[in-house]
Amino acid sequence: APAPFGNAIWNNDFYALTANTPGDTAAKQTAVDATSKYDMEGARLTSVTASRKETWNINGIDFDGSEKNLIIGGPISEDINFFSQEFTLASSGKGPLQWTTLASFSHQKTDYAAGVHVPFFAPPPAVQLNTGDITNDSWGIGGQVSYALDSGLTLIAGTRYSKESVENHMRTTFNGAPTSAGQNEKTTWTAWTPKFVVQYAATRDAMLYVSATKGFKSGGYTTESVDKVWNPEKVT
């Protein structure tokens, strides 16, 4: 019996793609943000508020990249609603001691539908559809202080506490029938990310510094498979 993939053309050109499925993408984004500042004695309070809405609709992705009708993606759609609020209170004087404090919050909800059509299983064609929503909530507080010495040496220290929560609800159907491959999970990560810097103004045009810091990026879920959550990234 012939292989289900047929005799697809092998293309030796790395930058050339052989595909037979037309595709199209439609996207719309609207956003608004506002920044307000309030000066007080020795400090400035800044508020940044932002809101964004995105809509994506994708059809006809040739996943197999060949002239055969093997794996076709679509329709894929996303409706994203995002809101963030950040407050910073920072020193505004010109003395050797400078400081900044921060509090932030963001919320994003993504409603999605992702379909995959596999014609080479025909008959009947195999169609998998993942639908659901992902909610991301992020909180953060932190601060930084620096002190400049007369010798040109400046000492800087700061830290941030981050809390990230991701909740995923996904339902999966195969040829219209529900499967057990869905997800209904919520995961929360927290991290302290300190920063220490020693910098020296050697001349008016040159600065030397030594820095030690930690970074954090939260994990999440994928809408394209039934894999579980991926872990956050941390770097020192």
Side-chain angles (χ1 to χ4, degrees), residues 91-232:
S91 58
S92 59
K94 296 183 178 181
L97 180 65
Q98 299 293 317
W99 52 268
T100 301
T101 59
L102 164 74
S104 64
F105 169 76
S106 68
H107 170 84
Q108 176 173 301
K109 184 178 180 183
T110 303
D111 296 286
Y112 62 86
V116 177
H117 181 210
V118 189
F120 72 80
F121 277 159
V127 180
Q128 177 176 309
L129 179 63
N130 298 337
T131 60
D133 60 83
I134 295 180
T135 302
N136 300 68
D137 289 313
S138 173
W139 301 265
I141 56 172
Q144 178 174 296
V145 61
S146 66
Y147 190 82
L149 303 174
D150 293 338
S151 61
L153 197 67
T154 300
L155 307 177
I156 303 171
T159 189
R160 175 187 173 96
Y161 175 77
S162 301
K163 182 178 180 181
E164 307 271 353
S165 292
V166 182
E167 187 170 0
N168 183 31
H169 304 282
M170 186 178 77
R171 298 165 295 280
T172 301
T173 61
F174 190 80
N175 285 347
T179 72
S180 60
Q183 296 180 5
N184 188 14
E185 297 186 13
K186 180 178 180 179
T187 308
T188 299
W189 301 274
T190 60
W192 284 99
T193 49
K195 173 183 179 180
F196 302 96
V197 182
V198 178
Q199 67 184 38
Y200 175 67
T203 68
R204 293 184 60 182
D205 301 317
M207 183 187 73
L208 307 175
Y209 71 93
V210 176
S211 173
T213 184
K214 285 188 175 183
F216 165 75
K217 179 181 179 181
S218 68
Y221 297 88
T222 175
T223 64
E224 295 295 339
S225 73
V226 296
D227 293 337
K228 297 300 182 180
V229 62
W230 70 76
N231 292 322

Side-chain angles (χ1 to χ4, degrees), residues 32-114:
V32 62
D33 63 84
T35 300
S36 57
K37 299 179 180 180
Y38 177 74
D39 290 317
M40 56 189 74
E41 185 176 354
R44 168 178 285 184
L45 176 65
T46 303
S47 169
V48 180
T49 307
S51 178
R52 185 180 76 249
K53 180 176 177 60
E54 295 182 30
T55 302
W56 291 82
N57 289 285
I58 306 173
N59 286 291
I61 304 175
D62 197 324
F63 280 151
D64 58 87
S66 75
E67 81 287 0
K68 302 293 184 179
N69 288 323
L70 302 181
I71 305 175
I72 301 172
I76 299 174
S77 64
E78 286 188 355
D79 290 313
I80 304 171
N81 290 279
F82 173 82
F83 171 82
S84 68
Q85 175 63 54
E86 179 178 289
F87 295 102
T88 57
L89 181 63
S91 58
S92 59
K94 296 183 178 181
L97 180 65
Q98 299 293 317
W99 52 268
T100 301
T101 59
L102 164 74
S104 64
F105 169 76
S106 68
H107 170 84
Q108 176 173 301
K109 184 178 180 183
T110 303
D111 296 286
Y112 62 86

